[in-house]
């Protein structure tokens, strides 16, 4: 399968990280230069850099920034402790996606060999993400085609799981782009993904860039679309997958899975092995990130609720394994025990 050339959403340049500021899309393509660990923490916490694999890569590069700052000749006694303290702050930036902790810990393993070794490890991780995503997308295309009618498909997706959320290829959205390249997409229905609008702002931007037919819908529309036969398959990503196949993903994913089960529509999760956390037996142990009220009470300068309105704003929810048709990684399709 021919895939478009990889366009990394973040890279190391000189002595800093350069990343696309996803808060500014789609209206403005603004690059950020992240030169300190605090810059990286802020970029991850504010979703300037977002998406489970992408925040993992940013966190790992943050470890490299820390190592270059703290591990110089004559600092052997303090280097490791200082970098480990920075690493814990990086991991704490967003608690739900396991990729962040996994990638930071992998970068930490190279600290004893020096800052350049840490940087080389982050470069290897970025290339691995591209390679594993391409392999995973191939498996996901096969899985979708095995569960859907033999015609161009109407696919529903949620949040953003494309090249912006990873090193360059994407997971669920990477699969959709590959299906479209094979002539197997009739239309993509994109949930806006309140409150930060990753679907409305980012997935539409990526689909337009790839020339894939799509329509945007409000988050409360998908069940109606399913009831009217407008959805052949639901494709989403994941932030953390537990040993039994429960999946933490963007808030709203669980309700899509319930509606898909009711309408007997395939619900397929596409996520790399680095999104699995087999130390957790099931999804009840996943720490769900709660975010600020002001994300819900307005968008940017526009306020939509009275000042002081309190909110319920979890960034993720957990979809039980029994609602999931398949979970696809670079190792192939995993069908959770029903
Ligand atoms: C391949 S990205 C996985 C995951 O990350 C997104 O969350 P966020 O935009 O808050 O970083 C969303 O849950 C995606 O499905």
């Amino acid at each position: 399968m021919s895939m478009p050339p990889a366009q990394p959403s973040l890279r190391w340049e000189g002595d800093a990280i350069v990343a696309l500021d996803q808060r500014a899309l789609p209206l403005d393509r603004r690059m950020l230069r992240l030169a300190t660990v605090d810059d990286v923490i802020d970029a991850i916490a504010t979703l300037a850099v977002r998406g489970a694999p992408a925040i993992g890569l940013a966190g790992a590069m943050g470890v490299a920034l820390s190592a270059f700052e703290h591990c110089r000749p004559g600092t052997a006694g303090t280097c490791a402790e200082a970098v480990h303290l920075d690493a814990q702050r990086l991991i704490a930036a967003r608690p739900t996606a396991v990729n962040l902790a996994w990638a930071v810990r992998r970068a930490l393993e190279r600290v004893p060999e020096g800052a350049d070794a840490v940087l080389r490890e982050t470069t290897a991780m970025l290339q691995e993400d591209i390679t594993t995503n391409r392999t995973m997308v191939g498996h996901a295309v096969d899985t979708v085609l095995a569960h859907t009618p033999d015609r161009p498909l109407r696919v529903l997706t949620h949040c953003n799981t494309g090249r912006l959320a990873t090193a360059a290829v994407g997971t669920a959205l990477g699969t959709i782009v590959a299906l479209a390249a094979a002539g197997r997409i009739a239309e993509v229905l994109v949930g806006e993904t309140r409150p930060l609008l990753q679907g409305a702002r980012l997935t539409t931007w990526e689909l337009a860039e790839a020339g894939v037919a799509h329509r945007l819908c409000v988050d409360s529309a998908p069940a109606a679309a399913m009831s009217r036969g407008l959805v052949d398959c639901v494709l989403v990503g994941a932030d953390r997958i537990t040993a039994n196949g429960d999946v933490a993903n963007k808030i709203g994913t669980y309700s899509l899975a319930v509606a898909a089960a009711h309408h007997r529509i395939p619900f397929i999760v596409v996520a790399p092995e680095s999104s699995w956390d087999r130390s957790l037996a099931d999804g009840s142990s996943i720490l769900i990130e709660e975010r600020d009220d002001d994300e819900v009470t307005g968008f940017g300068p526009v306020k939509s609720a009275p000042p002081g309105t309190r909110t319920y704003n979890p960034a993720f929810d957990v979809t039980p394994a029994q609602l999931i048709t398949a979970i696809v990684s670079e190792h192939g399709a995993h069908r959770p025990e029903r």
Side-chain angles (χ1 to χ4, degrees):
M1 180 191 313
S2 64
M3 300 288 281
Q7 305 174 53
S9 60
L10 73 165
R11 65 181 184 273
W12 185 273
E13 195 169 280
D15 58 357
I17 302 162
V18 174
L20 194 55
D21 184 346
Q22 298 189 37
R23 297 167 299 183
L25 290 173
L27 303 179
D28 184 10
R29 288 184 68 136
R30 184 171 66 218
M31 302 304 289
L32 289 176
R33 184 174 181 276
L34 310 176
T36 68
V37 169
D38 287 334
D39 288 345
V40 177
I41 291 169
D42 182 67
I44 291 171
T46 61
L47 281 78
V49 174
R50 49 143 301 279
I55 65 176
L57 292 166
M61 291 181 187
V63 175
L65 285 172
S66 178
F68 280 114
E69 179 187 355
H70 296 298
C71 303
R72 302 173 185 280
T75 63
T78 58
C79 157
E81 182 181 0
V83 175
H84 275 76
L85 286 173
D86 279 343
Q88 293 315 309
R89 295 194 303 120
L90 286 160
I91 289 171
R94 294 190 74 195
T96 304
V98 67
N99 312 63
L100 179 54
W102 170 83
V104 167
R105 290 184 182 122
R106 177 169 160 181
L108 274 179
E109 290 172 6
R110 304 303 296 270
V111 169
E113 300 160 56
D116 286 327
V118 179
L119 182 58
R120 283 194 300 271
E121 190 68 18
T122 69
T123 303
M125 292 164 74
L126 190 144
Q127 289 305 320
E128 280 176 30
D129 185 82
I130 293 170
T131 306
T132 55
N133 276 206
R134 284 185 167 148
T135 303
M136 173 173 66
V137 162
H139 292 316
V141 165
D142 293 344
T143 304
V144 170
L145 297 182
H147 287 86
T148 52
D150 184 14
R151 55 166 167 74
L153 301 169
R154 294 156 304 181
V155 173
L156 171 73
T157 194
H158 188 59
C159 198
N160 173 258
T161 56
R163 68 182 187 85
L164 292 172
T166 62
V169 173
T171 60
L173 192 57
T175 303
I176 290 170
V177 171
L179 284 164
R184 297 305 299 267
I185 292 288
E187 177 183 70
V188 183
L189 202 52
V190 181
E192 59 182 350
T193 319
R194 286 273 299 149
L196 297 181
L197 303 180
Q198 289 92 323
R201 295 187 301 109
L202 306 178
T203 295
T204 57
W205 185 79
E206 288 199 45
L207 288 172
E209 183 187 59
V212 180
H214 59 280
R215 284 190 287 174
L216 178 64
C217 67
V218 296
D219 289 327
S220 46
M226 294 178 193
S227 72
R228 297 176 64 190
L230 299 179
V231 179
D232 297 311
C233 182
V234 180
L235 273 171
V236 296
D239 290 82
R240 191 181 294 252
I241 307 168
T242 57
N244 73 331
D246 290 349
V247 169
N249 195 51
K250 183 53 52 195
I251 186 71
T253 303
Y254 171 52
S255 50
L256 293 178
V258 170
H262 178 73
H263 292 285
R264 302 189 189 287
I265 293 170
F267 187 90
I268 296 171
V269 175
V270 185
E273 282 297 315
S274 59
S275 297
W276 280 81
D277 178 1
R278 294 182 171 86
S279 72
L280 300 182
D282 60 53
S284 64
S285 311
I286 298 175
L287 176 58
I288 299 297
E289 177 187 1
E290 299 266 354
R291 294 184 63 89
D292 292 344
D293 292 338
D294 61 7
E295 291 182 351
V296 179
T297 56
F299 190 78
V302 178
K303 296 304 171 194
S304 50
T309 298
R310 296 179 60 239
T311 68
Y312 171 57
N313 186 20
F316 303 99
D317 57 26
V318 177
T319 298
Q322 59 264 36
L323 296 179
I324 299 170
T325 307
I327 302 173
V328 186
S329 76
E330 61 273 27
H331 293 174
H334 167 83
R335 288 167 182 75
E337 298 298 324
R338 295 282 182 164

